[in-house]
Amino acid sequence: MFMFSSWVLEKLEAVKHEQNLIIEDSLRLLPDADGSVHRFANENGFTVIVASTNLVFRELFEKAILSKETEKLLIIDRAPARRRSHASLTKAPPPFYPDLLTRTSGTARIKIMLRQFLIEKTGDPNWPLESNDPRFARLISGSIEGVLKAHASLRVAHPTRFTDRDFKTIVAYSALGVPEAAFKRPEAKSYWRICLFGYPALAELDSLAPEIARSIRDEIRIAPAPFSWFADSSPDPIIRAFYLSTILAQHVDHWKLLLTSIDSDLKPFSDIDVSIIREAAPELISIDPIRANQDLQEVEASLTKEGLKLILLDQLKIFTQGRFADVIEKERYSILIRSLSLLAALDNLLSDTPQNEFLEKVNDMLFSEQQNKKELFIEQRASPVWENLKAAYRLTKIIRDIRIVLNDAIKNLKVKPTSELSFEWFRHLWNEQKVNRLEYYLSALERLVFNVDFLPRSPNDLPAAFLAASNRIRERVNWLRDDTLNSLAIINTHYQGMIAANYKSWITSGSSEIRLTSQFLRRCVKPNWDPQTEKATVFVFDGMRYDIWEELVRPIFEDRMEIIREYSASSLLPSETHISRKAIFAGTFPDSFSTRSGEDALLKEVMRSEFGYKGDVEVVAPDGMGTGETVRYRAGNIDFFIFELCDKELHKIPIKTLPDGRCVSGRPLAFIYQQHIKNIIDTEVMAIIRGLTPDTKVFVVADHGFSAIGRERIRIENTWLNDPYDCFYLNAWLKQSLSDVNAPRKIRDNVLEFPVADLRMPDSEEVYDRSTNRSWSKKFASIIFPRTGFALSRPKANFNPDAYSHGGISIQEMLVPMLVMRVKTPEEGLLVISPLTGKMDLIEGEEAEFRTAVQLTQSHKNQEVRVEAQAVYQEKEDTVSLPNQVQYISSGGGEIIYRFIPDASDASDEERKVGIMERTIKISINYREGQRMIRKARAMKFSIRLNSEKIVRRVPAHLGKILGLTPRSMK
């Protein structure tokens, strides 16, 4: 209807100087969601009133004239012409405004008539008055371009003729979607459009233009099957038979027998040549993929539980000998069939005896970048269940592969003495072998398996075998989680032994094998940055362990930066924020600085001693809200950004016991990562990265990670402590060593003890006692840490550890990222994604369209890259996901386009009050560059003008015709 709206706007532009404008739209040709007229009104100072009954008109009119903001009025009168000419006691009267008419010039009264539009567009004055008949107008307005095309064909065949039959022929063939066939014999492609897509319009034409409909049906009768069936039979069973035949013929040769066994009513429509099916299905999809998708959905919904059992279990036997792989490979149309087959594959993948040959085949089909995949219609059919199953399969496959590495490492540890273990061995296992991802992947897999749509329909409507498979999957995921956590505990037990043997030497000798957080400025920043000539930026991420860095942060950094060097790095012990993070800014160990000093003061001293910088360390306010950001500092050419991405979010998360006996975190890792941390990274962190100039040196470090707290209690005596609050779940500061206090053997066997001097921790601390109003000195002899699986219990305190914390000795807490990077020029890398474009100011109900161009950089023009696009438009914490898209980008580039109608129903009361709701559209692309997955994102803010004049019901629907409609704001 864009053409029609443009025609109306041309007329409005000519009279925009008028004080009042009246549009009579008795045929309702202006779409409800079209924002062009409202945009014209906004730009020219008009207040819009849309009404079809007098009650509504009067309420809105009175409200408008009383408002000080109203300067000019634009009335859209949508009352049907028949209601205006024939008054009725049973129908609401049309708008009545003689008072307004007296103040409105004749040129400012625009009567929208379809016949006039057609005359002006075609230059043909012979369009009949029937063009304005509501019955014909409905068909014409739904296919304007087709009508104009059919009329052009008439003029080619007959330059002057325009009979009533010609008119009806134009309307009929345009409504059927084949305007090119209006004045000649239909081709095969036209038959497809008429029979399989135009059948609703054909039924309407039986009463509106019976002679035209009759001739079309006569043509259909002499066509081959399945077209000939449409002439005299209901289209529904024919459509169902055609698409069900299309699905079955992919998998079995005896599909005709199977079709009639599934639904005996389809037997009369089973005699279709298989060659026609194979040729027709792609043709139909190319004609109208939306209608094809709807028809396939109806076919899938018609399959009963017994029908699915007959197809998938009795005939295709998808649970036997890896047959699920064949079905997934051959299925090109049915999401239902393919999803249930993937469920069977996932069930097998998690079993004790997985059929690896077939599972690898499934993995290749799901995740390989095959060129022909983009041509499959099933890849274009959106299905949350399929995406969930696919994600679960991918996670399970990755977890299985990593567990093989983990199990081999455990076997190695059993025969390897502690003296031969090194930090680099653990780091290689944890990072290079991707073991660090296991907890996150398991959490994400559990969320998928237990909390999202995992079956394509209700379990009651599926054969029992699929519900049984779903239950087995959940049981195996539970086992997989418990077994994996036990394996990680074994790794941590040996890691603690390595730390006990080596940590003191790292501190005293300045080991080249490892850099501690206290050495970050001296051993990472200083060798890689010239403070006189280079700009530098430091990102300090509090609590960011390695899986967060690898999964969420690193891809964004690598998109815009190249890695110069990545160091083996560790948190200090205890892995606490006030120790390890402050040591980053102090550049030394805690026995050499006060942990109570501000980070800016500590940084000023180390900048002077290490870099010769004599200026001040400036505290800088963030440009935006600073969400997730603790503080930022500037010292000459270097900026420091501190983000608490993870630290606060991981505290105070309780352990809860589910009805089935499972003990789980109150908030899963996957939820925290995806909903909280990822949001801050994509928004606040990205905002900083986008502002970095090329060649800026970028340094990344974390102060510590976090790990699950053990549930086995170790009781600490009050006499061992200066203060009960010196005992935490993962460490305790003792005033005497365990041997000096004669601690029980059970305690000594289940903790690791370090003299404070060995950790370079202070041996005393001055504290203030409010009860006595005096300061006193604490003396520390040693610090103890619980072994894996244990936690320390404070004297006379409730033992109820959170799910996660830090401050102990574990590979999750101590291994931290420490990197040197350089900001690339925009053209470096594989792909360039342009800024988003689209309308920034929409009208409620109007379709939004946002697009971004994606191009290969010049040095990669000869490649083809598979790109998966994701989009969300968000408000605060609520995020609405839009369907994912897959494109293959080659030398010609591509464009990611998202169209959707923003949901105005989630507008807040405040937004309704001001009449505008603001949202942010964020489009991201993921693609593989070498061995890495790269993610690039673009965001754009837009607003939706909430239409205060928009008519919505305030009464029950059955009273609407009598009482009329009123704006939501006036309820």
Side-chain angles (χ1 to χ4, degrees):
M1 293 298 290
F2 173 76
M3 188 182 300
F4 191 83
S5 299
S6 299
W7 178 71
V8 174
L9 284 177
E10 290 175 6
K11 297 184 176 301
L12 290 174
E13 283 290 336
V15 291
K16 63 183 180 182
H17 59 279
E18 295 281 353
Q19 192 68 23
N20 301 312
L21 295 178
I22 299 175
I23 299 176
E24 289 187 26
D25 185 18
S26 60
L27 295 174
R28 301 202 173 195
L29 298 174
L30 284 174
D32 291 339
D34 181 70
S36 57
V37 173
H38 290 276
R39 192 169 291 107
F40 164 85
N42 292 333
E43 292 171 355
N44 293 281
F46 286 95
T47 296
V48 180
I49 295 177
V50 184
S52 59
T53 66
N54 196 49
L55 173 64
V56 172
F57 171 76
R58 280 295 152 187
E59 286 187 86
L60 295 176
F61 182 66
E62 295 298 328
K63 179 182 177 182
I65 61 176
L66 290 174
S67 173
K68 294 180 180 179
E69 298 178 1
T70 302
E71 299 177 2
K72 299 191 288 185
L73 285 175
L74 193 161
I75 311 299
I76 302 178
D77 184 347
R78 295 170 62 101
R82 183 173 179 82
R83 188 189 301 175
R84 188 173 297 281
S85 60
H86 297 82
S88 171
L89 294 176
T90 61
K91 294 183 178 179
F96 183 64
Y97 37 83
D99 48 343
L100 185 62
L101 285 173
T102 60
R103 305 197 304 268
T104 306
S105 66
T107 57
R109 304 174 194 175
I110 301 172
K111 193 170 185 178
I112 299 177
M113 302 304 291
L114 193 53
R115 180 173 180 267
Q116 186 62 33
F117 167 79
L118 294 171
I119 289 173
E120 292 185 21
K121 284 297 176 183
T122 62
D124 189 341
N126 296 316
W127 286 92
L129 294 175
E130 284 180 302
S131 303
N132 291 327
D133 185 306
R135 298 174 302 165
F136 283 107
R138 184 172 59 256
L139 293 176
I140 294 172
S141 62
S143 52
I144 286 285
E145 293 185 5
V147 168
L148 298 178
K149 186 175 182 180
H151 178 270
S153 298
L154 171 64
R155 283 291 159 261
V156 171
H158 303 282
T160 59
R161 194 187 77 189
F162 204 148
T163 65
D164 286 345
R165 183 180 178 87
D166 290 335
F167 170 70
K168 292 177 180 178
T169 299
I170 289 173
V171 175
Y173 279 87
S174 300
L176 292 170
V178 287
E180 67 279 357
F183 297 99
K184 59 183 179 181
R185 187 179 183 84
E187 300 175 351
K189 190 172 184 178
S190 298
Y191 282 128
W192 286 122
R193 287 183 180 272
I194 294 171
C195 297
L196 295 177
F197 297 114
Y199 54 86
L202 186 58
E204 188 171 359
L205 288 168
D206 284 334
S207 60
L208 190 59
E211 68 279 14
I212 305 299
R214 192 179 308 114
S215 66
I216 293 173
R217 291 187 187 277
D218 289 341
E219 289 283 352
I220 292 174
R221 284 190 184 92
I222 62 176
F227 311 122
S228 57
W229 299 331
F230 283 91
D232 303 298
S233 300
S234 170
D236 292 339
I238 302 173
I239 297 295
R240 192 162 72 250
F242 176 80
Y243 279 112
L244 188 52
S245 298
T246 301
I247 293 168
L248 297 176
Q250 299 173 109
H251 304 289
V252 294
D253 294 331
H254 56 284
W255 58 271
K256 293 183 181 180
L257 292 175
L258 189 54
L259 176 70
T260 55
S261 298
I262 294 169
D263 190 343
S264 59
D265 291 340
L266 302 182
K267 185 174 182 179
F269 311 113
S270 61
D271 191 18
I272 311 175
D273 191 289
V274 70
S275 62
I276 292 181
I277 290 177
R278 290 171 180 164
E279 176 186 338
E283 178 89 16
L284 292 174
I285 291 164
S286 67
I287 292 172
D288 191 341
I290 296 176
R291 178 62 63 82
N293 184 54
Q294 292 172 347
D295 288 337
L296 280 166
Q297 286 177 339
E298 292 175 5
V299 169
E300 291 169 332
S302 72
L303 290 173
T304 64
K305 180 191 299 187
E306 293 72 21
L308 287 173
K309 179 178 182 298
L310 178 61
I311 297 171
L312 294 172
L313 304 182
D314 299 341
Q315 296 293 321
L316 301 183
K317 303 182 186 300
I318 62 170
F319 284 99
T320 305
Q321 292 298 315
R323 290 293 304 278
F324 50 75
D326 288 335
V327 176
I328 294 172
E329 181 180 34
K330 293 177 181 177
E331 186 53 62
R332 284 164 164 72
Y333 303 102
S334 174
I335 284 288
L336 176 64
I337 299 297
R338 191 164 73 151
S339 295
L340 292 173
S341 300
L342 185 54
L343 182 74
L346 181 60
D347 179 37
N348 188 272
L349 181 63
L350 282 162
S351 69
D352 292 328
T353 56
Q355 297 172 295
N356 292 320
E357 176 185 353
F358 301 107
L359 294 169
E360 286 295 336
K361 182 178 179 181
V362 171
N363 193 70
D364 290 341
M365 287 187 292
L366 294 180
F367 305 111
S368 65
E369 298 184 9
Q370 299 172 6
Q371 173 68 19
N372 62 348
K373 280 181 66 176
K374 64 182 179 181
E375 300 171 359
L376 299 181
F377 180 56
I378 200 166
E379 292 290 341
Q380 303 168 30
R381 296 189 64 196
S383 169
V385 170
W386 169 257
E387 294 300 329
N388 291 337
L389 283 165
K390 186 176 174 181
Y393 190 94
R394 175 181 173 274
L395 283 169
T396 303
K397 179 68 168 57
I398 294 173
I399 290 169
R400 277 193 58 200
D401 292 345
I402 297 176
R403 275 175 53 87
I404 293 173
V405 174
L406 180 61
N407 292 338
D408 289 344
I410 290 174
K411 292 177 183 177
N412 192 2
L413 286 173
K414 290 180 179 178
V415 298
K416 200 176 185 75
T418 301
S419 60
E420 295 182 14
L421 293 177
S422 67
F423 180 84
E424 195 54 41
W425 186 92
F426 283 100
R427 186 180 184 278
H428 177 78
L429 172 69
W430 196 246
N431 294 336
E432 305 304 323
Q433 303 287 356
K434 301 184 178 181
V435 174
N436 64 49
R437 275 84 149 179
L438 276 174
E439 288 179 273
Y440 170 51
Y441 288 164
L442 281 165
S443 177
L445 180 60
E446 283 187 293
R447 289 197 79 203
L448 282 170
V449 169
F450 287 98
N451 298 319
V452 302
D453 291 335
F454 221 58
L455 293 174
R457 59 166 61 172
S458 167
N460 295 330
D461 295 329
L462 288 172
F466 294 104
L467 180 58
S470 180
N471 290 334
R472 284 195 301 272
I473 288 170
R474 292 179 175 180
E475 291 172 2
R476 292 293 296 178
V477 168
N478 274 338
W479 176 88
L480 187 63
R481 178 204 60 193
D482 293 342
D483 188 66
T484 301
L485 294 181
N486 288 336
S487 297
L488 291 176
I490 294 173
I491 295 294
N492 264 322
T493 297
H494 289 270
Y495 179 80
Q496 288 184 332
M498 185 274 296
I499 290 294
N502 294 289
Y503 188 81
K504 181 179 179 180
S505 66
W506 296 346
I507 288 180
T508 56
S509 66
S511 170
S512 60
E513 178 187 22
I514 183 172
R515 281 160 173 74
L516 300 172
T517 49
S518 57
Q519 301 165 335
F520 168 69
L521 289 172
R522 179 168 53 86
R523 299 186 63 193
C524 176
V525 176
K526 189 175 182 179
N528 295 286
W529 173 55
D530 183 347
Q532 304 302 320
T533 62
E534 290 182 310
K535 289 188 67 66
T537 297
V538 175
F539 287 91
V540 179
F541 292 106
D542 196 337
M544 182 179 72
R545 67 184 198 177
Y546 245 104
D547 55 349
I548 297 174
W549 163 250
E550 295 285 1
E551 287 291 313
L552 303 180
V553 186
R554 184 176 192 138
I556 289 178
F557 275 69
E558 287 191 333
D559 173 30
R560 294 174 177 265
M561 306 173 198
E562 65 171 338
I563 294 178
I564 297 175
R565 182 122 186 224
E566 184 168 2
Y567 294 103
S568 298
S570 172
S571 166
L572 293 185
L573 284 179
S575 51
E576 300 278 14
T577 298
H578 70 282
I579 292 173
S580 196
R581 194 175 100 182
K582 288 205 171 180
I584 292 174
F585 291 94
T588 186
F589 295 99
D591 61 355
S592 299
F593 68 88
S594 171
T595 57
R596 295 181 179 180
S597 297
E599 289 168 336
D600 53 343
L602 297 173
L603 180 60
K604 182 176 181 179
E605 175 59 28
V606 75
M607 288 295 295
R608 184 194 61 76
S609 61
E610 293 289 347
F611 299 94
Y613 174 74
K614 298 179 181 179
D616 290 332
V617 172
E618 181 185 358
V619 179
V620 182
D623 296 329
M625 299 294 293
T627 304
E629 188 177 349
T630 302
V631 68
R632 61 176 67 175
Y633 303 118
R634 179 170 296 148
N637 280 337
I638 190 167
D639 291 314
F640 292 79
F641 298 90
I642 307 172
F643 278 91
E644 286 186 344
L645 286 179
C646 330
D647 198 40
K648 287 185 178 179
E649 279 298 307
L650 270 300
H651 289 295
K652 307 303 180 185
I653 299 177
I655 291 288
K656 63 180 181 181
T657 302
L658 300 178
D660 61 5
R662 286 182 294 141
C663 291
V664 298
S665 167
R667 278 184 291 166
L669 281 183
F671 172 80
I672 297 169
Y673 287 14
Q674 294 164 5
Q675 299 299 318
H676 176 79
I677 297 175
K678 186 175 184 297
N679 190 282
I680 293 176
I681 293 168
D682 288 349
T683 307
E684 279 74 21
V685 176
M686 270 301 299
I688 296 171
I689 293 175
R690 283 195 296 267
L692 298 178
T693 57
D695 294 325
T696 299
K697 288 287 179 63
V698 176
F699 300 88
V700 175
V701 69
D703 56 350
H704 57 74
F706 58 87
S707 67
I709 302 178
R711 314 317 288 182
E712 291 292 326
R713 180 188 303 196
I714 298 177
R715 298 180 185 276
I716 302 300
E717 297 295 333
N718 195 42
T719 56
W720 303 352
L721 305 167
N722 289 281
D723 185 311
Y725 292 99
D726 288 339
C727 177
F728 308 91
Y729 287 121
L730 294 179
N731 63 71
W733 296 59
L734 308 183
K735 60 184 181 181
Q736 292 179 284
S737 67
L738 291 176
S739 59
D740 289 341
V741 297
N742 296 316
R745 182 177 183 83
K746 179 182 177 182
I747 292 178
R748 285 182 285 143
D749 288 345
N750 290 309
V751 300
L752 295 170
E753 184 176 20
F754 295 82
V756 290
D758 288 357
L759 299 182
R760 294 285 306 270
M761 290 295 122
D763 59 6
S764 63
E765 179 185 11
E766 291 293 320
V767 293
Y768 174 73
D769 187 347
R770 290 185 178 180
S771 62
T772 62
N773 196 28
R774 289 190 310 167
S775 295
W776 62 288
S777 180
K778 290 183 180 181
K779 300 294 184 180
F780 303 117
S782 66
I783 303 174
I784 60 173
F785 303 88
R787 290 190 181 272
T788 303
F790 291 86
L792 306 180
S793 176
R794 181 178 291 161
K796 298 180 181 180
N798 182 32
F799 183 78
N800 184 27
D802 295 335
Y804 305 101
S805 191
H806 53 88
I809 301 177
S810 70
I811 196 168
Q812 292 97 327
E813 295 166 86
M814 295 187 67
L815 262 68
V816 295
M818 189 180 288
L819 298 93
V820 186
M821 311 178 84
R822 180 189 68 85
V823 179
K824 297 184 289 189
T825 60
E827 277 295 316
E828 291 185 63
L830 184 60
L831 287 178
V832 176
I833 177 172
S834 67
L836 289 183
T837 60
K839 290 181 180 177
M840 300 177 64
D841 185 10
L842 301 169
I843 304 297
E844 180 177 347
E846 182 180 5
E847 183 179 61
E849 179 182 290
F850 297 97
R851 55 180 67 207
T852 177
V854 183
Q855 300 284 341
L856 289 166
T857 52
Q858 195 61 40
S859 57
H860 298 87
K861 284 292 186 182
N862 60 339
Q863 297 189 30
E864 182 175 68
V865 181
R866 181 183 184 275
V867 169
E868 182 173 352
Q870 301 170 327
V872 294
Y873 72 95
Q874 58 191 10
E875 175 214 4
K876 301 174 184 176
E877 298 178 356
D878 298 328
T879 301
V880 179
S881 296
L882 301 172
N884 289 0
Q885 298 180 17
V886 174
Q887 286 195 27
Y888 290 78
I889 307 299
S890 56
S891 58
E895 193 170 38
I896 307 297
I897 304 174
Y898 272 94
R899 298 184 181 93
F900 61 95
I901 298 177
D903 185 6
S905 64
D906 70 346
S908 66
D909 292 340
E910 184 63 27
E911 288 173 330
R912 279 284 171 197
K913 185 176 179 180
V914 300
I916 293 178
M917 56 185 271
E918 293 187 343
R919 297 292 182 267
T920 299
I921 175 74
K922 188 179 299 177
I923 297 179
S924 62
I925 63 170
N926 296 282
Y927 63 94
R928 185 172 294 280
E929 185 170 338
Q931 299 301 312
R932 299 182 291 111
M933 285 301 297
I934 301 297
R935 181 176 182 275
K936 296 189 176 187
R938 294 292 182 265
M940 175 180 172
K941 288 186 177 181
F942 65 99
S943 62
I944 301 98
R945 189 177 299 275
L946 300 173
N947 187 2
S948 60
E949 294 86 22
K950 181 182 176 183
I951 300 171
V952 296
R953 297 187 181 275
R954 67 170 178 179
V955 293
H958 65 281
L959 297 179
K961 292 183 179 179
I962 300 174
L963 298 180
L965 308 168
T966 194
R968 184 177 302 168
S969 61
M970 293 178 62
K971 287 183 180 180

